[in-house]
Amino acid sequence: MSLSTLSGRFQGRQTQFHVELVYGLLFIAGFGYLVFRIDPRVAAFEGGLVIGYLLRVWEKMSIYERILEETISREAEQQVEAEVENQVGDEVETEVEEQVGIRVEEQVSDEIEQQVGEEVSERLEAEVEEQVEAEVGDIDEQIDERVTEQIEEADGPRGDRADDSTT
C-alpha cells in the first residue's frame, strides 16, 4: 500500500473511526496484559492511552461546539436578517411610495404647469394677434372711410370753387 492510497482511504469520519478503533484495541490489549501480569511500562502506556483518548474527546467536543456555535449564529443571523427585511422592507416600501408619490406629483404638476403655461401663451398670442389684426384691419378700413369722407367733404367746397374759378 502506498501513502497516497492510505491518505485516500483515511479521510473524514473513516479516519476518526480508525483512530478510535486503534485506541480501543490498544487499550483492551494493554488492560488484558495488565490483568495477567503487572508491568509498570504497560501501565504507563495505558495511562498515556487514556490521557490521549481524553484529549481526543476534548478536541472533538471543542470542534463540535465550534460547529454548533457557527450553525446557531448562522441561523440567528438568517432569522434576524429576515425579521429586519420584513420590518425595514415594509417601512422602506411605505416611505418610498410616499416620497415617490410626492416627488412625482410635484414634478408632474410642475411639468404640466409649464406645458399649460406655454400652450396658453402660444394660443393667447395667436388669438390676440388674430384679434388685433382683425380689429386693426377694421380700424384701418374705418379710418380709410373717414379720411375719404373728410377728403370728399373738404374737396366738395373746394371743388365747387375750382369749378367756379375756371369758368
Side-chain angles (χ1 to χ4, degrees):
M1 276 205 235
S2 68
L3 187 61
S4 64
T5 307
L6 282 176
S7 67
R9 290 169 102 189
F10 296 124
Q11 290 181 356
R13 293 180 187 228
Q14 287 181 344
T15 303
Q16 290 178 1
F17 172 74
H18 292 309
V19 169
E20 299 291 330
L21 184 65
V22 169
Y23 266 113
L25 290 176
L26 287 174
F27 186 72
I28 290 172
F31 188 71
Y33 183 80
L34 284 175
V35 166
F36 296 111
R37 192 167 178 198
I38 295 179
D39 187 2
R41 292 176 293 185
V42 175
F45 181 73
E46 286 292 311
L49 282 175
V50 169
I51 290 173
Y53 188 76
L54 291 175
L55 289 175
R56 182 146 174 85
V57 168
W58 183 36
E59 176 190 19
K60 282 185 196 178
M61 287 177 54
S62 66
I63 289 172
Y64 290 143
E65 284 177 359
R66 188 177 61 225
I67 289 171
L68 281 173
E69 286 175 5
E70 290 174 359
T71 304
I72 290 171
S73 69
R74 239 183 283 128
E75 286 292 324
E77 286 176 3
Q78 288 174 351
Q79 287 178 355
V80 167
E81 183 179 325
E83 187 67 28
V84 166
E85 279 185 25
N86 287 340
Q87 289 179 355
V88 173
D90 293 343
E91 290 176 13
V92 167
E93 187 176 321
T94 304
E95 184 69 23
V96 165
E97 286 176 1
E98 289 175 4
Q99 291 296 326
V100 167
I102 291 170
R103 290 195 180 161
V104 166
E105 188 175 306
E106 289 173 356
Q107 197 168 16
V108 167
S109 66
D110 289 345
E111 289 178 9
I112 288 175
E113 285 177 12
Q114 287 176 345
Q115 289 176 349
V116 167
E118 290 172 3
E119 238 178 88
V120 166
S121 296
E122 291 173 4
R123 286 185 183 175
L124 187 62
E125 285 178 19
E127 287 180 19
V128 167
E129 282 182 25
E130 289 175 12
Q131 216 170 19
V132 165
E133 286 176 8
E135 287 185 22
V136 166
D138 290 344
I139 291 174
D140 280 344
E141 289 176 14
Q142 288 175 0
I143 290 174
D144 286 342
E145 288 175 11
R146 283 187 186 168
V147 168
T148 306
E149 286 176 8
Q150 286 178 357
I151 290 176
E152 286 177 1
E153 285 177 12
D155 275 345
R158 279 191 197 168
D160 293 340
R161 282 190 216 154
D163 288 340
D164 290 341
S165 60
T166 51
T167 43

